[in-house]
Structures are given as C-alpha cells and as structure tokens.
Amino acid sequence: MKIGILGLGLIGGCLGFDLRSQGHYVLGVSRRQSTCEKAIHLGSVDQASLDLSLLVSAEVVFICTPIGLIVPQIKELITHLPKTTIITDVGSVKKPIVEAISPLWENFIGGHPMAGKTDVGIEAAQPHLFVNRPYVLTPIETTPSDGVIIVEEIVRSLGSIIYHCQPEQHDRAVAWISHLPVMVSASLIAACLSETDPEITKLAQNFASSGFQDTSRVGGGNPELGVMMAQYNRPALLHSLQQYRHSLDEFIHIIEQEKWEMLEEKFKFNQQSRPHFVE
C-alpha cells in the first residue's frame, strides 16, 4: 500500500519507520527540505517533498503536523487528492478537527496515538513507538465503515491497542490524563522558580532527583504543543484545571488543619486508585 505522511516530526517519523518495515511504500511531505533529506537518509520514508502533490497517489494519508496546522493543511491537501483517499490525523484534540474536516472530506477518520517522547523532530523518531500503546479512533455516524476498517488494520499492525469513542468524549478524557498533567507539571516548574532566595534555588536544583524528573517532564516539553492543547481543548482543559484546583485546595486545608489521619486516607485512596490509570 502507498501511504502518505504529512508532517515528518517525531510521530510522522515513527510512523514511517514502522510502515516501511511492513512493506508499505511511504511518501512524506514536510515544510523543510532539510527534514525531507533527513527522513530519506534515516529510512523513515521512501520519497519526500515540500510539495503536497506528492501524496496524490497515496491510498491513506496520515496528518502529523502540529494541531493548529491540521485543518488548514487538510483543506489544502484535499485539492490534490481523489475522493477515494482516506485521511486520518494524529492530533491530541479531536472535536474541532472532526467538526471542521468531516463536512469537507467523507473519508476522514480522526485518530490519536497515545504515545510520544519529550524529544521532538525527525531525529528523535524511532521504530516501535506505538507498540502496546492506546490508539484512539473517532469515526462519526457519516464515516464510511470501509475506511475505518483500513485505518484499523494499519493501526493494529503498529502493535497499538485500538479504542473507539466520540470526538468530544476523547477530548474530555484526554484533558484529564494528558493535557492537565502538562499544565500541572508546568506550574510545578514555575512555582519552583518563584523561590526568591538564590541559594535555596541552587540547592533545590542540585537536590532534584527522580521524583522531580518524573513530575516535571511533560511540563518542560514542547512549548508549542502545550499552547495548542490549551487553545484547542480549552473547555475540557479548564474544567479539569478547576477540579484540580479544588483538590489542591482540599490538601492545603487538610495540612493547615493538621488533619494527618485524613491526609493519610487521601494518600491510601490515591495509592489504590492509581493502578486503574497506570499499569
């Protein structure tokens, strides 16, 4: 099968490696010539170009651009494609994308692989990133079933675990376990930087170990991605942030009142609940 990838960053590069390893012929399009050359050199794609018309022969096209570029890039892309081409994206927000593209392109299936790394760019791409990771598809009532089946087959071949839900359901769920952690993590870093004593700041930097590394990782990642999460999933993210603020206020109140038994119960409940989210 000929498969197109529009956007040769981390996710697009990883897709390319896996799809080529299965015998697919992969066509890649990027905004930079240097990225096209690197993708070919690394073996992520068979051909690469700055020109969207390269994808005209692709049977399936994965849109792997930043969230804010997905809709405008698809609108430009579909002027080059036959109506039979299946388009899917990998954006971490689904409702605004599906609502904008579905009326324009019948064979569009919203998608989101729940996998990634802090590093970005084609240089960070690697094979097997999607193995045993959730991959969400958000077809709607008007989405042709044969297109969904084809995308499912490709996703299954990546080793991913497929989930189906409505676009709005996806966005609400992802706000809790992906977008909220980015904002909380970013706030943690900002709070640490608010220390006014430079000696204490330096000591904190020297003492920082695995706990701080784990909790600060996503907040210290790609700034562009963080802004787009907030911009395109604003209602769901605001709801989760407000609920988080309420939970944080509860912890503050418990500590202020020195209710240590209540605090221990909170920690016990969280300890029991966490495995439902993290294996």
Side-chain angles (χ1 to χ4, degrees), residues 138-195:
T138 61
I140 57 176
E141 290 182 0
T142 57
T143 309
S145 59
D146 52 350
V148 177
I149 291 170
I150 290 172
V151 174
E152 283 180 336
E153 289 175 354
I154 295 172
V155 169
R156 197 171 288 113
S157 75
L158 301 174
S160 299
I161 303 166
I162 299 175
Y163 292 90
H164 282 229
C165 66
Q166 291 299 303
E168 184 178 1
Q169 291 177 314
H170 165 277
D171 291 356
R172 289 174 61 186
V174 168
W176 285 116
I177 51 82
S178 179
H179 299 174
L180 175 62
V182 169
M183 303 305 157
V184 171
S185 178
S187 298
L188 169 65
I189 298 170
C192 291
L193 293 173
S194 70
E195 170 60 55

Side-chain angles (χ1 to χ4, degrees), residues 244-261:
Y244 175 74
R245 181 170 60 187
H246 175 70
S247 296
L248 188 60
D249 286 340
E250 282 188 337
F251 274 90
I252 291 172
H253 178 73
I254 289 169
I255 295 169
E256 284 177 340
Q257 300 298 313
E258 300 185 6
K259 296 181 178 179
W260 309 127
E261 289 184 6

